[in-house]
Amino acid sequence: MVRFYLESLVEGGRQLRRLAVYPLPFRVGRTQGLSLSLASESVSKEHAEIVMRDDALYVQDLGSKNGTFVNSERVTERRLNEGDILHFAQVEFRVGRQELDEAEDLLEPSTVKLGDMKLPQQFVEGVRELPELLEARQVTTLFQPIVTLASGFIAGYEALGRGRHARLPQMPLELFRVAAAVGAEAELSRLFRETAVDLVRQRVRFPALFINVHPKELDTPTLIPDVVVLRERCPQLRLTLEVHEGTLADLEGVERLRTQLSRAGVGIAYDNFGAGQARLLELAEVPPHYLKFDMSFVRGIDTASGDRRRLLTSLVGVAKDLLVQTVAEGVETAEEADACFRIGFTHAQGYHFGRPRPIAEI
């Protein structure tokens, strides 16, 4: 016969605890007397239940506060397979499957040595605090200048979101990692955008504002209406949305987005160009208003080989022929800035021109 089990690291990660998923249904939570009682404040009193249906094992969330996750994805119900990583809030298990000769072979937990197997520990750390951050809008914005290379004047600022929750990271990359565990990337992205516009809406002469959009937002029907509301709230602001170059894989979607943004009076920029798989053909099909070249192109360009400089000059020339403004990202020295100007970049951004600063310092 077949028996499923859960296994998890114990004793500081030195050993592996194995527990039979038996009898079924198998209820998990913080309450004593359940099939599996977990002494963790992150786990709800009755958190989830594992059941057998049509000879397959399923986990069902019971409305827990901090979620049930299968392979890093929050679920309400999901079929379980051997090797799946299962989290009840921050408590982690791996699903195992074993052929048994006797039904009693795995009725009691057994402890085995860890060996070479290691499980990713607490991937959802911070999930409990994230709803607090979103509800209380505990974020702020720093602004980094984007300059026109020909004149040195500031053409705009990129809005860079930061967290302000005491028990969560400040940097957006880490915050979005937490948000991804609960499917809240779009909500966090929207909060960053709204906060940035609120901070500059009273600035009559504020230059263009560049705001990043998380790829998950592109799949939501609320993105364009949200942007329209921001434009109406701050009509004097020249707004440009930055989308990752990876979105070019969906040309029809990007063209539709660009058209809708143009109708709303909002520009579009492709960010981190050259860091992924974007091709010039795709760029020509749906040219943006701004093309931001990844810093890997720019770093050390003043001392780069002739071949590398000629390649970058050609790419910038193609963008120029498409009437696209080009931005060199990550410019850190005067020499790099001068090389970018000679190559033909219209704009540049980086520590040489200014670090990200709060609105009060602009």
Side-chain angles (χ1 to χ4, degrees):
M1 66 171 298
V2 174
R3 181 62 47 76
F4 287 91
Y5 58 85
L6 301 178
E7 53 190 9
S8 183
L9 296 174
V10 295
E11 298 184 16
R14 294 189 299 274
Q15 287 190 327
L16 192 71
R17 173 72 69 183
R18 181 172 291 177
L19 176 67
V21 182
Y22 183 87
L24 295 168
F26 187 88
R27 186 158 288 206
V28 180
R30 203 170 68 244
T31 302
Q32 294 295 320
L34 299 179
S35 305
L36 176 58
S37 296
L38 300 173
S40 170
E41 288 299 319
S42 67
V43 175
S44 297
K45 291 182 179 179
E46 294 198 2
H47 196 102
E49 187 173 63
I50 299 176
V51 299
M52 184 71 72
R53 191 166 65 242
D54 299 327
D55 295 326
L57 201 67
Y58 288 81
V59 63
Q60 300 171 337
D61 186 78
L62 299 177
S64 66
K65 179 179 179 181
N66 294 318
T68 300
F69 302 80
V70 178
N71 299 329
S72 303
E73 181 180 350
R74 188 167 186 167
V75 301
T76 54
E77 180 177 286
R78 179 65 58 84
R79 178 173 175 170
L80 295 175
N81 297 299
E82 182 179 11
D84 283 344
I85 301 298
L86 178 61
H87 281 80
F88 306 109
Q90 297 185 23
V91 184
E92 178 184 70
F93 296 89
R94 175 147 45 190
V95 179
R97 182 177 182 274
Q98 187 175 355
E99 297 284 346
L100 301 177
D101 294 329
E102 299 292 340
E104 290 78 15
D105 283 355
L106 199 57
L107 294 186
E108 298 296 332
S110 60
T111 301
V112 298
K113 292 184 178 181
L114 177 61
D116 294 330
M117 185 174 64
K118 294 182 180 179
L119 304 179
Q121 291 296 293
Q122 294 187 336
F123 85 103
V124 287
E125 184 176 356
V127 163
R128 188 173 187 175
E129 293 81 8
L130 186 68
E132 299 173 3
L133 177 145
L134 295 172
E135 183 176 355
R137 304 178 70 84
Q138 293 176 318
V139 302
T140 189
T141 307
L142 301 182
F143 299 87
Q144 187 174 33
I146 299 172
V147 305
T148 303
L149 279 173
S151 65
F153 292 152
I154 294 177
Y157 287 90
E158 180 178 356
L160 302 169
R162 296 290 187 270
R164 295 177 58 195
H165 192 288
R167 297 189 301 279
L168 286 171
Q170 292 186 356
M171 299 305 290
L173 185 62
E174 298 173 20
L175 273 178
F176 276 113
R177 179 185 61 81
V178 177
V182 292
E185 304 101 307
E187 187 175 356
L188 179 60
S189 180
R190 183 167 59 252
L191 177 57
F192 278 145
R193 181 171 62 249
E194 292 173 350
T195 301
V197 172
D198 284 343
L199 286 172
V200 304
R201 60 184 299 190
Q202 302 302 325
R203 297 290 188 97
V204 177
R205 293 188 176 88
F206 196 87
L209 183 65
F210 290 71
I211 301 183
N212 292 281
V213 176
H214 193 277
K216 288 289 186 180
E217 275 200 283
L218 302 179
D219 299 328
T220 66
T222 58
L223 175 59
I224 297 301
D226 288 344
V227 172
V228 170
V229 169
L230 291 181
R231 289 288 292 125
E232 293 173 349
R233 187 186 306 173
C234 199
Q236 82 281 4
L237 182 65
R238 289 182 292 126
L239 191 62
T240 296
L241 261 60
E242 295 191 19
V243 299
H244 194 274
E245 65 142 22
T247 60
L248 288 174
D250 178 16
L251 281 179
E252 291 185 3
V254 175
E255 185 171 19
R256 185 165 55 251
L257 175 65
R258 185 189 63 177
T259 300
Q260 293 173 326
L261 289 176
S262 296
R263 289 173 180 169
V266 177
I268 186 170
Y270 298 159
D271 194 18
N272 300 117
F273 183 78
Q277 303 297 322
R279 298 175 298 180
L280 291 179
L281 176 60
E282 295 163 335
L283 175 64
E285 289 286 336
V286 191
H289 298 96
Y290 293 89
L291 186 63
K292 302 186 75 174
F293 280 73
D294 187 73
M295 64 177 61
S296 60
F297 275 113
V298 175
R299 192 64 48 81
I301 191 62
D302 55 307
T303 58
S305 66
D307 288 342
R308 180 180 161 194
R309 290 169 68 106
R310 280 189 291 272
L311 172 62
L312 189 53
T313 301
S314 298
L315 294 174
V316 171
V318 170
K320 182 178 180 181
D321 291 340
L322 295 170
L323 305 180
V324 174
Q325 303 289 314
T326 50
V327 183
E329 293 189 293
V331 177
E332 294 192 349
T333 67
E335 291 76 16
E336 288 176 348
D338 182 65
C340 288
F341 174 71
R342 294 177 182 278
I343 284 172
F345 279 99
T346 59
H347 298 75
Q349 177 181 358
Y351 285 177
H352 174 64
F353 301 105
R355 292 177 177 269
R357 298 181 181 276
I359 188 66
E361 297 182 18
I362 296 178

